[in-house]
Amino acid sequence: EVQVVESGGGLVQPGRSLRLSCTTSGFTFGDYAMSWFRQSPGKGPEWLSVIRSKAYGESIEYAASVRGRFTISRDDSTSIAYLQMSYLKTEDTALYYCTRDIDRGSAANWGLGTLVTVS
Amino acid sequence: DIVMTQSPLSLSVTPGEPASISCRSSQSLLYSNGYNYLDWYLQKPGQSPQLLIYLASNRASGVPDRFSGSGSGTDFTLKISRVEAEDVGVYYCMQAVEIPRTFGPGTKVDIK
């Protein structure tokens, strides 16, 4: 069974940093792209970033709202994806989700999310 | 960025009756390989989103066959043949043809 578990969220002051982790199991991690999304209370999901598999050069993309502040990475040896968040703003407050992607970018498996509060 | 719109934004359905949600994109979601990169997700109350349909018409693993997706280019539809109580929640369409991936505003479905 595919499992995706986000961790690392918490309360942080504006301008500070936080690193989120996405621990996975149940699939060959290195074969899949991994993405991060977030969802603010009462709003829809927002895509943030993707890191593709080694077969696709581990290419990376970011949403404009986080480009230059957030950094996605992956460790295929431990099946963990990361989201390093710097220069956090109050508007970054949200539930952050990690997903395993299939095909060009369908988010096939979501975790329960980890809550980040910037205040 | 590709803008996604959905209609209706809310839907109240009688159990056992069909339901349909429309999704439109500001640009074609048809990729050069012939596939339409349009997904449908359901977010049940208090839960994470879950993938229902990918590539416009392919049911994700474990999704009941009462859910079906259709459409091409810029116009897409999600149909539920017979709504069940467990289908309540917010349905989102999302385009995956280009970065950034963008979502529709969501359609809230509840039971009459």
Side-chain angles (χ1 to χ4, degrees):
Chain A
E1 179 192 3
V2 172
Q3 293 204 333
V4 174
V5 179
E6 304 90 343
S7 61
L11 175 62
V12 62
Q13 293 178 329
R16 305 299 290 264
S17 299
L18 205 60
R19 188 178 81 159
L20 306 183
S21 298
C22 172
T23 303
T24 72
S25 62
F27 64 100
T28 304
F29 182 81
D31 289 348
Y32 292 89
M34 300 296 295
S35 290
W36 286 92
F37 293 77
R38 68 184 177 188
Q39 189 170 26
S40 301
K43 296 198 170 182
E46 176 190 10
W47 174 83
L48 299 178
S49 183
V50 61
I51 183 166
R52 299 184 180 90
S53 66
K54 195 164 289 185
Y56 291 89
E58 295 189 355
S59 58
I60 288 171
E61 311 274 5
Y62 295 101
S65 59
V66 303
R67 190 178 298 123
R69 299 189 301 123
F70 290 12
T71 302
I72 194 171
S73 61
R74 63 188 296 154
D75 184 341
D76 289 358
S77 68
T78 58
S79 302
I80 299 176
Y82 298 97
L83 187 67
Q84 176 70 46
M85 305 187 296
S86 302
Y87 306 106
L88 283 162
K89 307 175 182 180
T90 55
E91 52 262 44
D92 293 321
T93 293
L95 188 59
Y96 283 72
Y97 295 103
C98 172
T99 69
R100 178 185 75 112
D101 292 355
I102 61 173
D103 288 298
R104 188 170 169 81
S106 302
N109 303 94
W110 298 62
L112 296 179
T114 186
L115 183 62
V116 173
T117 303
V118 185
S119 177
Chain B
D1 297 359
I2 296 177
V3 177
M4 307 297 290
T5 57
Q6 291 180 230
S7 62
L9 297 183
S10 66
L11 193 56
S12 191
V13 189
T14 301
E17 294 295 305
S20 180
I21 301 171
S22 173
C23 174
R24 288 187 172 174
S25 57
S26 61
Q27 298 170 217
S28 176
L29 305 186
L30 180 62
Y31 194 56
S32 54
N33 60 8
Y35 289 103
N36 285 279
Y37 284 88
L38 185 282
D39 299 338
W40 289 97
Y41 297 86
L42 166 59
Q43 187 167 30
K44 297 182 179 181
Q47 295 187 19
S48 307
Q50 60 184 94
L51 179 65
L52 294 177
I53 301 288
Y54 64 100
L55 297 177
S57 61
N58 293 271
R59 271 189 304 278
S61 176
V63 174
D65 61 7
R66 64 179 180 274
F67 291 93
S68 64
S70 63
S72 183
T74 61
D75 290 313
F76 300 89
T77 302
L78 175 71
K79 292 184 178 177
I80 311 173
S81 59
R82 294 173 305 279
V83 172
E84 298 188 5
E86 66 181 26
D87 300 335
V88 298
V90 182
Y91 290 77
Y92 297 98
C93 59
M94 185 198 83
Q95 65 81 16
V97 76
E98 71 173 39
I99 297 294
R101 298 182 218 163
T102 48
F103 288 85
T107 295
K108 187 172 183 180
V109 173
D110 62 24
I111 300 295
K112 281 184 183 175

